[in-house]
């Protein structure tokens, strides 16, 4: 299997190259050359999650240098449970937040860390990543003490929760966290500018860990593959998924699983009031915006960076409209949903997950799997006053919260970023 850029189909890259480069030289995103239909009967029912994942991803790794390491990368990355619960007759809840930093981003980050560690092959790589919250902690945790990799995390100052910030800034060693005076989109723009500058490339051997990296996207297909097949075998029906969506990384992975032939019915994208996608579906014009702040802050994205990948799957607007549905959810509805879900199911849910639960009630009465993207304890200041109960903190987060941290602020400026990297990164 080879990978191509969304902007140029003629140059073919190996998977290792695509993972290392993050973004193609022409600024496009790497996508698989094609999606083969996988023979589902070849997945025996007793496969462990890591084995199932390795088998799902095999085709993408075929003939790549990483192929032989794939089972090992999966076994090292997927060490935590991905439980699904039935809440009522037609409502199922998939909890993707039991990894080390309690969001679904652990899945992709840990897989990518394992892959890049192999790809580095003894020479130092620098990861530059922008985060609106959970990416930063997931990446920091996944790459911490990987000796051939330095990580610089950019986050918008004052726009992530105190606990999120603690989880990004508590590491030290090969992890440098920078609070940028700007928005998440500014952080993302800094990363993009650095990436299109060849001097940066040479000096730092830059690689990305954002959801633009195909090495984060591919592993996320495995939980949709695993859960949909398990569901289909148990219930004889293809489930639909409702996915809290920002940069479209998690959601695109679901479409990839569907493209591979896994038994998935509709996929519904729940967004906060950053609704560039709903607007596109209505008008056919894709108009990126400045992001606005909402309670579901990891989804505050005005220009979803995986949009080009989704567009590649459904190039014609009519096709796109047939397959993609998006519903935008206000902060008020997020709040009332947090309360309702707690009353109805005794479940505490984070504001991101709440967008998906809200959307569920607007849909046909089919079986739906609502995707939970972060543990509620990461957003306790929002949730606790609403439900009048306190959220207990899992052990893995307790450990991070008591570590000392270091906060470094920088201007929204590429040269400042460079100087700071040179000054503060371990050589
Ligand atoms: C990142 C994140 C999202 C959005 O995921 P995308 O892949 O960017 O669409 C949703 N919820 C939480 C908790 C997140 O951290």
């Amino acid at each position: 299997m080879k990978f191509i850029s969304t902007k140029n189909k003629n140059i073919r890259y190996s998977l290792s190259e695509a993972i290392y480069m993050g973004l193609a030289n022409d600024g496009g995103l790497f996508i698989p050359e094609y999606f083969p239909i996988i023979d589902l009967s070849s997945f025996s029912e007793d496969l462990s999650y890591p084995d199932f994942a390795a088998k799902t991803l095999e085709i993408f790794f075929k003939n790549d240098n990483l192929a032989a390491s794939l089972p090992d990368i999966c076994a090292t990355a997927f060490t935590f449970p991905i439980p699904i619960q039935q809440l009522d007759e037609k409502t199922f809840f998939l909890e993707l937040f039991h990894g080390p930093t309690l969001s679904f981003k652990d899945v992709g980050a840990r897989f990518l860390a394992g892959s890049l560690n192999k790809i580095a092959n003894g020479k130092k790589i620098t990861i530059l990543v922008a985060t609106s919250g959970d990416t930063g902690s997931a990446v920091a945790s996944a790459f911490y003490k990987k000796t051939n990799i330095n990580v610089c995390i950019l986050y918008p100052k004052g726009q992530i929760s105190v606990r999120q910030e603690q989880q990004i800034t508590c590491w030290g060693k090969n992890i440098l966290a920078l609070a940028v005076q700007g928005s998440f989109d500014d952080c993302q723009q800094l990363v993009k500018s650095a990436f299109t500058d060849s001097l940066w490339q040479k000096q730092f051997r830059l690689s990305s860990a954002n959801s633009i990296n195909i090495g984060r996207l591919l592993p996320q297909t495995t939980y949709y593959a695993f859960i949909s097949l398990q569901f289909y075998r148990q219930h004889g029906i293809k489930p639909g998924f409702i996915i809290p969506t920002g940069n479209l990384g998690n959601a695109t992975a679901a479409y990839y699983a569907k493209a591979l032939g896994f038994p998935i019915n509709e996929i519904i994208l729940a967004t906060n009031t950053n609704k560039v996608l709903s607007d596109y579906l209505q008008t056919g014009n894709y108009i990126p915006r400045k992001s606005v702040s909402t309670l579901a802050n990891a989804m505050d994205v005005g220009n979803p960076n995986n949009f080009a990948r989704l567009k590649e799957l459904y190039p014609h607007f009519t096709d796109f409209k047939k397959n993609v549905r998006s519903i935008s959810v206000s902060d008020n509805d997020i709040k009332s949903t947090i309360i309702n879900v707690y009353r109805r199911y005794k479940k505490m849910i984070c504001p991101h997950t709440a967008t998906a639960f809200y959307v569920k009630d607007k849909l046909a009465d089919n079986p739906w799997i609502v995707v939970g993207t972060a543990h509620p304890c990461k957003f306790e200041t929002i949730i606790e006053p609403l439900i009048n109960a306190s959220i207990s903190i899992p052990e893995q987060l307790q450990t991070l919260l008591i570590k000392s941290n270091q906060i470094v602020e920088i201007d929204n400026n590429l040269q400042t970023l460079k100087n700071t990297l040179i000054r503060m990164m371990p050589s």
Side-chain angles (χ1 to χ4, degrees):
M1 170 76 77
K2 294 286 181 187
F3 289 75
I4 51 178
S5 156
T6 48
K7 292 195 176 162
N8 179 351
K9 312 281 145 65
N10 298 318
I11 309 177
R12 299 159 81 235
Y13 299 82
S14 73
L15 178 61
S16 290
E17 284 173 315
I19 290 177
Y20 170 62
M21 292 168 71
L23 204 61
N25 290 332
D26 57 20
L29 306 185
F30 289 112
I31 52 173
E33 222 174 2
Y34 65 99
F35 289 91
I37 299 290
I38 294 184
D39 173 15
L40 301 185
S41 66
S42 69
F43 289 82
S44 72
E45 297 202 15
D46 54 1
L47 281 180
S48 69
Y49 189 86
D51 289 344
F52 185 101
K55 198 166 152 47
T56 304
L57 298 177
E58 217 164 48
I59 176 72
F60 298 115
F61 283 70
K62 206 169 170 193
N63 296 326
D64 190 79
N65 289 340
L66 283 177
S69 314
L70 176 61
D72 186 45
I73 293 170
C74 289
T76 310
F78 305 137
T79 52
F80 47 89
I82 297 186
I84 181 165
Q85 281 170 52
Q86 183 160 14
L87 299 182
D88 61 30
E89 199 196 337
K90 302 275 178 63
T91 313
F92 297 79
F93 184 39
L94 178 61
E95 298 188 352
L96 299 179
F97 49 75
H98 294 283
T101 68
L102 305 176
S103 90
F104 81 91
K105 293 195 171 76
D106 284 322
V107 173
R110 289 167 65 79
F111 187 92
L112 178 64
S115 303
L116 271 173
N117 204 36
K118 289 268 195 287
I119 292 169
N121 209 4
K123 285 210 314 212
K124 200 83 128 192
I125 288 178
T126 302
I127 303 277
L128 196 55
V129 60
T131 181
S132 54
D134 293 325
T135 294
S137 48
V139 167
S141 161
F143 285 85
Y144 182 55
K145 288 187 175 173
K146 297 265 189 250
T147 48
N148 291 316
I149 303 181
N150 283 333
V151 177
C152 174
I153 298 164
L154 304 177
Y155 66 95
K157 178 178 178 267
Q159 288 176 44
I160 66 175
S161 77
V162 172
R163 278 193 192 161
Q164 280 179 326
E165 185 170 42
Q166 168 69 18
Q167 290 176 82
I168 294 172
T169 54
C170 71
W171 299 93
K173 297 213 190 305
N174 63 327
I175 313 290
L176 173 64
L178 300 175
V180 176
Q181 282 155 0
S183 67
F184 171 62
D185 289 343
D186 293 331
C187 296
Q188 204 154 255
Q189 194 50 52
L190 276 177
V191 171
K192 278 194 182 151
S193 308
F195 266 94
T196 40
D197 182 328
S198 59
L199 288 177
W200 272 78
Q201 281 289 3
K202 273 215 194 84
Q203 186 165 358
F204 296 105
R205 287 190 88 208
L206 277 190
S207 188
S208 108
N210 268 70
S211 59
I212 49 178
N213 195 307
I214 191 75
R216 261 184 60 184
L217 197 62
L218 293 178
Q220 290 172 177
T221 61
T222 66
Y223 44 77
Y224 292 110
F226 185 82
I227 292 295
S228 65
L229 188 56
Q230 177 187 301
F231 191 99
Y232 187 71
R233 283 174 172 165
Q234 279 173 8
H235 303 272
I237 312 171
K238 294 181 181 183
F241 285 94
I242 310 170
I243 306 173
T245 298
N247 263 318
L248 279 166
N250 197 4
T252 300
Y255 284 99
Y256 278 15
K258 190 171 175 171
L260 292 169
F262 286 94
I264 295 172
N265 192 8
E266 270 186 284
I267 296 168
I268 313 287
L269 311 183
T271 68
N272 57 29
T273 49
N274 293 280
K275 59 185 186 62
V276 58
L277 209 58
S278 311
D279 290 348
Y280 172 69
L281 285 162
Q282 240 172 33
T283 64
N285 296 319
Y286 180 74
I287 306 170
R289 305 253 160 72
K290 264 195 168 323
S291 63
V292 297
S293 299
T294 74
L295 292 174
N297 68 351
M299 293 157 45
D300 291 349
V301 179
N303 185 10
N305 61 16
N306 280 290
F307 180 75
R309 284 195 170 112
L310 203 51
K311 197 77 190 16
E312 253 343 289
L313 279 180
Y314 309 111
H316 300 293
F317 183 58
T318 41
D319 239 17
F320 193 100
K321 261 183 99 135
K322 221 181 279 165
N323 287 283
V324 181
R325 234 177 114 187
S326 173
I327 298 176
S328 157
V329 183
S330 70
D331 273 357
N332 272 338
D333 289 333
I334 287 175
K335 284 190 207 159
S336 62
T337 305
I338 289 172
I339 297 168
N340 291 341
V341 167
Y342 185 62
R343 285 206 189 120
R344 230 194 282 177
Y345 305 121
K346 281 275 159 280
K347 280 232 107 53
M348 300 174 180
I349 54 164
C350 87
H352 312 83
T353 305
T355 63
F357 270 100
Y358 176 83
V359 163
K360 152 108 207 342
D361 283 341
K362 310 276 164 219
L363 299 173
D365 194 24
N366 304 325
W368 290 105
I369 298 177
V370 177
V371 174
T373 49
H375 193 287
C377 76
K378 299 182 89 169
F379 302 91
E380 85 292 359
T381 54
I382 298 168
I383 302 164
E384 287 181 347
L386 291 172
I387 60 172
N388 226 333
S390 74
I391 308 169
S392 57
I393 302 176
E395 202 183 314
Q396 61 262 54
L397 182 56
Q398 304 251 24
T399 316
L400 298 187
L401 293 182
I402 54 174
K403 290 173 80 162
S404 62
N405 72 350
Q406 187 189 17
I407 293 176
V408 181
E409 278 181 35
I410 65 161
D411 299 337
N412 174 20
N413 178 292
L414 199 60
Q415 191 56 45
T416 313
L417 174 59
K418 190 178 224 170
N419 298 341
T420 312
L421 282 185
I422 292 167
R423 203 175 66 241
M424 300 192 67
M425 281 293 208
S427 52

